Amino acid sequence: MADYFIALVDPSMPFIRNALLAGLLSSILFGLLGSIVTVKRIAGLAGAISHAVLGGIGMALYLSASGKVQNLPPILGALLFAIVSAIIIGFVSLKAKQREDTVINALWAIGMSLGVLFLAKTPGYADPTAYLFGNILLVTEKDLVLLALLDVLTLFLAWRYYPQLEASAFDEDFAKTRSIATDHIFIAILILTALAVVLLQTFVGIVMVIAMLTLPAGTAGFWAKSLASMMTGACILSLLFTFSGLASSWALDLPAGAMVVVIAGAVFLVFSAVSAVKRRGSRVRQ
Amino acid sequence: MTEPINATKETAFRFDKVSFSYAEDEILKNVSFHVHKGEFAALIGKNGSGKTTVLRLLLGLAQAQKGKITVFGKSPGEARSSIGYVPQNPVLDPAFPISVSRVVSMGRLKGMAKPSRINSIEGRDVLDRILELTELADLTHRPYSALSGGQKRRVLVARALAAEPLLLVLDEPTANMDAESEARLYATLKNLKGNTTVLIVTHDTGYVSSLTDAVFCAGAGDKGIVKHDVRPAKHTASELYGGEALEVLHDTRLDNEKCCKEAD
């Protein structure tokens, strides 16, 4: 562990500090968006968006490497696929409620498959594992600026529209009777989630973004008394998981993204077990 | 039928030759009825008779394919802020972290505007008064998920009242409620009678509360709504209706426009 702190202040290893900063900034997104995704029970939608992103990354890498489009960064392809899949999922959820799960799962599978196909045809070697499971050492200063901007936007929207957000997540039909634009809120959540997925996939990877959007919020949900306290608790937990994951991955020479998620998952399981035992105990006393 | 305490010839809402279908399934056909301001009306009917559809149309959550609906002279969408709604069995997340007072304060929301209606002194006074009226003052800080079924229903009534509605719409408010909770609910509604127009929806087609001024039966005839007469019931458990019950006379059919003609 001490080695990690030494590396943090070592001027020759800025990527270690960038990784910690990325963890700090992504904790805000994981905490805020994760809580909303959890209480609205749309983790499946976020999962479909995050997996469809691989199609965009593969497409951008192929177009760039084959010379069809010069210097097309993978993040632009990811952004395109994330926004398009968010809009399709939003439209299907709101307008065509029948077969909603089929369309969502189809997007999930088609996005990933397109990514694999594009990567297979990309000249040279393109390792999909780096995108699926992330590599925090790839985080650049530009990524940090984008993450900070998305943090500010998400924090502002959550603060300004908190009562409407809470009402639409709690009881959407009632929220509509109070003239709250529940459909707009839903689409905004999906698009923010899509943007977050694009930025966060560098850190923990496509597969694990969905885990970090649900595990800290799910753990905070065991004691939270309000959506706001759930958001705050999830942000703090995300930060703790990230820091402990980074430090232990450095000490054990293991992939950082996977370590963060394993720690978050273990804590969630412990809290689930404690909660189940408590519930059982209170039923027996009754 | 009891005389309306504060009914005038002004209507609270009116359905005029309204028809509604879900795809090929016709639910309402050429429905016309109205309720006056201050009246306590009951909409009765068996499951699947179109009662909830009437409510969704009234709230502007569904659009009629034919006919016209007016609520306080406006379209349902425009009049939404004047309506307090207590849903039947809302599908709510049992683990949602929220207190009773936060749920009730949702009734004060109005669109996407900043919620000054909640935070102002006047807004807090309204919420305190509603919590007292619905006997929830001692439960304000309790998690909503920790309440009993009857308490949850009272919280949803309080949430609807927090909007200070001109029209209160309750969909099966006493379903799965114990007798004590039911009595408390009717006591609350009794306090509102005359000042707030109330529409209560129930699948109990035999009897209604003695608070009721007008009874409408959905699914009667050809997917229409018929106004029935009532008489005091003799052999019914009064605690289930918050006082004396009224027996619905299904073999009667009152002229829906007679009240307006008399008022003229």
Side-chain angles (χ1 to χ4, degrees):
Chain A
M1 185 68 85
D3 287 350
Y4 178 67
F5 286 103
I6 293 166
L8 264 180
V9 292
D10 187 336
S12 67
M13 289 194 272
F15 55 91
I16 300 293
R17 285 187 296 283
N18 281 355
L20 185 63
L21 271 175
L24 173 69
L25 294 171
S26 60
S27 294
I28 294 170
L29 290 177
F30 284 139
L32 295 180
L33 288 174
S35 298
I36 296 165
V37 162
T38 302
V39 295
K40 278 190 78 72
R41 297 186 174 227
I42 54 170
L45 308 192
I49 293 170
S50 67
H51 287 78
V53 156
L54 187 66
I57 292 170
M59 184 187 73
L61 287 172
Y62 168 73
L63 292 174
S64 186
S66 60
K68 290 187 168 68
V69 180
Q70 295 294 323
N71 300 322
L72 182 64
I75 199 168
L76 273 187
L79 191 63
L80 177 70
F81 269 56
I83 298 291
V84 168
S85 57
I87 290 169
I88 292 173
I89 287 170
F91 181 79
V92 170
S93 298
L94 294 173
K95 302 292 176 195
K97 293 191 182 292
Q98 293 166 344
R99 306 275 167 86
E100 178 186 348
D101 55 338
T102 310
V103 175
I104 288 162
N105 286 319
L107 269 178
W108 185 313
I110 292 169
M112 286 205 83
S113 304
L114 275 176
V116 170
L117 291 176
F118 276 123
L119 289 174
K121 284 291 175 189
T122 300
Y125 177 68
D127 180 14
T129 318
Y131 297 102
L132 288 173
F133 297 97
N135 187 346
I136 199 159
L137 302 182
L138 294 176
V139 173
T140 62
E141 284 179 5
K142 199 176 83 181
D143 290 334
L144 293 177
V145 171
L146 289 173
L147 265 177
L149 288 174
L150 192 56
D151 277 349
V152 170
L153 177 66
T154 309
L155 275 167
F156 170 75
L157 291 175
W159 165 76
R160 170 61 183 79
Y161 295 109
Y162 179 78
Q164 286 86 357
L165 194 59
E166 182 183 51
S168 71
F170 180 69
D171 186 350
E172 194 169 273
D173 263 358
F174 181 82
K176 280 180 187 165
T177 68
R178 301 310 307 151
S179 301
I180 292 170
T182 55
D183 291 354
H184 292 90
I185 289 176
F186 180 62
I187 295 291
I189 291 168
L190 286 185
I191 289 179
L192 273 179
T193 305
L195 292 175
V197 162
V198 171
L199 294 180
L200 297 172
Q201 51 89 16
T202 313
F203 174 38
V204 288
I206 291 165
V207 175
M208 297 186 186
V209 161
I210 193 62
M212 284 302 283
L213 276 175
T214 51
L215 292 173
T219 308
F222 284 117
W223 68 79
K225 297 213 171 352
S226 66
L227 180 58
S229 64
M230 189 178 185
M231 287 172 167
T232 311
C235 286
I236 293 168
L237 283 174
S238 294
L239 186 59
L240 290 175
F241 296 153
T242 305
F243 182 75
S244 53
L246 284 172
S248 56
S249 75
W250 181 263
L252 303 169
D253 192 22
L254 288 168
M259 274 310 293
V260 171
V261 174
V262 164
I263 291 170
V267 173
F268 176 77
L269 289 177
V270 168
F271 271 90
S272 299
V274 170
S275 172
V277 169
K278 270 187 178 173
R279 276 204 306 273
R280 196 171 174 183
S282 63
R283 273 205 299 271
V284 168
R285 278 196 296 277
Q286 282 169 6
Chain B
M1 186 167 299
T2 58
E3 282 299 315
I5 291 174
N6 205 21
T8 65
K9 71 174 181 177
E10 279 186 274
T11 54
F13 67 87
R14 179 183 286 275
F15 278 55
D16 191 14
K17 297 177 182 167
V18 170
S19 297
F20 182 83
S21 308
Y22 286 111
E24 299 297 304
D25 193 9
E26 192 171 50
I27 309 295
L28 300 173
K29 187 177 174 185
N30 214 23
V31 163
S32 294
F33 75 106
H34 65 271
V35 169
H36 291 269
K37 282 186 183 175
E39 271 188 338
F40 191 110
L43 177 62
I44 62 171
K46 292 173 185 164
N47 291 334
S49 59
K51 304 187 297 293
T52 300
T53 301
V54 168
L55 294 196
R56 292 188 69 79
L57 290 167
L58 193 57
L59 292 161
L61 297 176
Q63 308 302 321
Q65 282 97 12
K66 282 183 193 168
K68 189 180 176 188
I69 301 166
T70 49
V71 185
F72 301 113
K74 300 175 186 169
S75 72
E78 290 169 335
R80 262 183 195 161
S81 60
S82 310
I83 306 174
Y85 172 51
V86 183
Q88 184 182 358
N89 278 317
V91 185
L92 304 177
D93 178 0
F96 198 104
I98 194 163
S99 66
V100 167
S101 59
R102 287 295 304 180
V103 175
V104 176
S105 69
M106 281 177 193
R108 302 288 296 163
L109 291 173
K110 203 171 180 183
M112 302 301 283
K114 276 190 177 176
S116 55
R117 274 160 49 92
I118 298 174
N119 299 326
S120 66
I121 293 170
E122 185 199 343
R124 284 199 297 271
D125 284 348
V126 170
L127 290 177
D128 289 344
R129 185 166 49 77
I130 299 295
L131 290 165
E132 286 291 334
L133 181 72
T134 49
E135 299 180 51
L136 291 167
D138 295 337
L139 303 175
T140 48
H141 299 298
R142 288 272 295 278
Y144 177 79
S145 57
L147 303 181
S148 68
Q151 287 171 328
K152 281 181 180 168
R153 196 55 65 91
R154 265 173 30 231
V155 171
L156 298 186
V157 172
R159 182 180 66 170
L161 291 176
E164 297 182 291
L166 299 174
L167 169 63
L168 179 65
V169 177
L170 304 101
D171 193 359
E172 306 273 7
T174 56
N176 305 319
M177 247 190 195
D178 58 59
E180 188 195 338
S181 299
E182 224 170 288
R184 285 182 181 203
L185 173 69
Y186 276 110
T188 304
L189 296 178
K190 192 173 183 179
N191 285 329
L192 298 172
K193 189 172 158 74
N195 297 316
T196 305
T197 310
V198 177
L199 177 67
I200 193 165
V201 174
T202 170
H203 67 268
D204 182 351
T205 56
Y207 301 93
V208 292
S209 159
S210 60
L211 298 173
T212 310
D213 300 312
V215 178
F216 300 94
C217 186
D222 187 16
K223 291 161 187 165
I225 287 180
V226 169
K227 190 175 184 181
H228 287 315
D229 202 356
V230 291
R231 69 179 173 205
K234 289 173 185 167
H235 306 292
T236 307
S238 61
E239 67 271 17
L240 296 178
Y241 300 92
E244 280 180 40
L246 298 173
E247 184 184 357
V248 180
L249 304 174
H250 283 275
D251 53 351
T252 60
R253 184 180 280 236
L254 301 180
D255 179 355
N256 195 38
E257 295 300 323
K258 191 180 171 192
C259 49
C260 295
K261 288 171 196 161
E262 281 177 354
D264 288 336

